[in-house]
Amino acid sequence: MEAILNDITKLKVDAIVNAANNSLLGGGGVDGAIHRAAGKELVMECRSLGGCKTGDAKLTKGYNLPADFIIHTVGPIWRGGYNAEAELLARCYRKSIQIAVAKEFESLAFPCISTGIYGYPKDKAAEVAVKTCSEELENSSYKISSLNIIFCCFGQDDYDIYQQILNKS
Ligand code: ADP
């Protein structure tokens, strides 16, 4: 697992994860950037998926992105922390990794799900992300070394938080 500071739409990996909304039809933030970079065919495929529940994840092709596939997941909206936000956020990371393992992907890049428009505190979200991903890699029968997980931070603040957590784990 590693953290990088980059625009996720620029990464040439097997799959990038999109922090989408329940409609899967595009939105602001990273979702908007991914749809713009992937092109119109993405929304056509997304329309056929019938939306996505919070904490669930669905796979599409990457179209014009350098990444081959996109795993769309819907993070929770932060409502103070007592509304199952941590469990729902953990489920986003778990489900995305399960799809990547099932497809035998070797590289998977996550944005900082829920920490933009959805308001999840950045440090708390990063703790959930790193803990869930390392647990899921250990639980899967997939060789840990076979899936490289990249936390793609868009701001220096997020990057610093991830570096600190990864360095102590
Ligand atoms: P959410 O609705 O889940 O909060 P946002 O897209 O608003 O989703 O924000 C999630 C995270 O994605 C934020 O940390 C934001 O800075 C980041 N982000 C926005 N654009 C990009 C991008 N092009 N590449 C990587 N991360 C991005």
Side-chain angles (χ1 to χ4, degrees):
M1 297 197 294
E2 59 175 326
I4 61 167
L5 186 54
N6 210 335
D7 175 344
I8 203 164
T9 65
K10 307 278 189 251
L11 301 184
K12 176 141 187 51
V13 287
D14 289 336
I16 62 169
V17 175
N18 181 16
N21 56 44
N22 295 115
S23 78
L24 292 187
L25 299 180
V30 72
D31 192 10
I34 288 172
H35 273 269
R36 275 193 300 279
K40 286 206 177 102
E41 281 172 300
L42 175 59
V43 82
M44 288 167 66
E45 184 176 359
C46 285
R47 270 194 208 112
S48 72
L49 299 177
C52 184
K53 289 191 181 127
T54 303
D56 204 356
K58 293 191 176 177
L59 182 73
T60 69
K61 288 188 274 186
Y63 298 98
N64 296 336
L65 288 173
D68 293 328
F69 292 91
I70 307 165
I71 297 172
H72 304 263
T73 189
V74 183
I77 297 171
W78 179 260
R79 294 197 176 91
Y82 297 99
N83 295 280
E85 290 94 333
E87 177 49 33
L88 288 166
L89 185 62
R91 224 179 276 172
C92 291
Y93 284 93
R94 224 179 280 136
K95 285 273 170 78
S96 299
I97 291 175
Q98 285 166 1
I99 290 173
V101 167
K103 297 291 286 182
E104 300 188 348
F105 292 159
E106 293 178 355
S107 49
L108 176 66
F110 284 101
C112 305
I113 300 167
S114 281
T115 65
I117 298 158
Y118 283 2
Y120 207 117
K122 289 173 181 297
D123 51 345
K124 289 190 171 67
E127 292 280 356
V128 170
V130 173
K131 183 167 178 280
T132 307
C133 290
S134 58
E135 280 172 5
E136 195 56 36
L137 283 179
E138 276 167 28
N139 290 343
S140 78
S141 53
Y142 209 48
K143 278 205 264 78
I144 291 176
S145 57
S146 305
L147 181 63
N148 184 30
I149 293 182
I150 300 156
F151 298 107
C152 181
C153 303
F154 201 52
Q156 185 71 42
D157 45 356
D158 268 319
Y159 180 72
D160 292 343
I161 291 168
Y162 273 90
Q163 285 296 1
Q164 204 183 12
I165 297 172
L166 288 168
N167 286 338
K168 76 178 183 214
S169 57

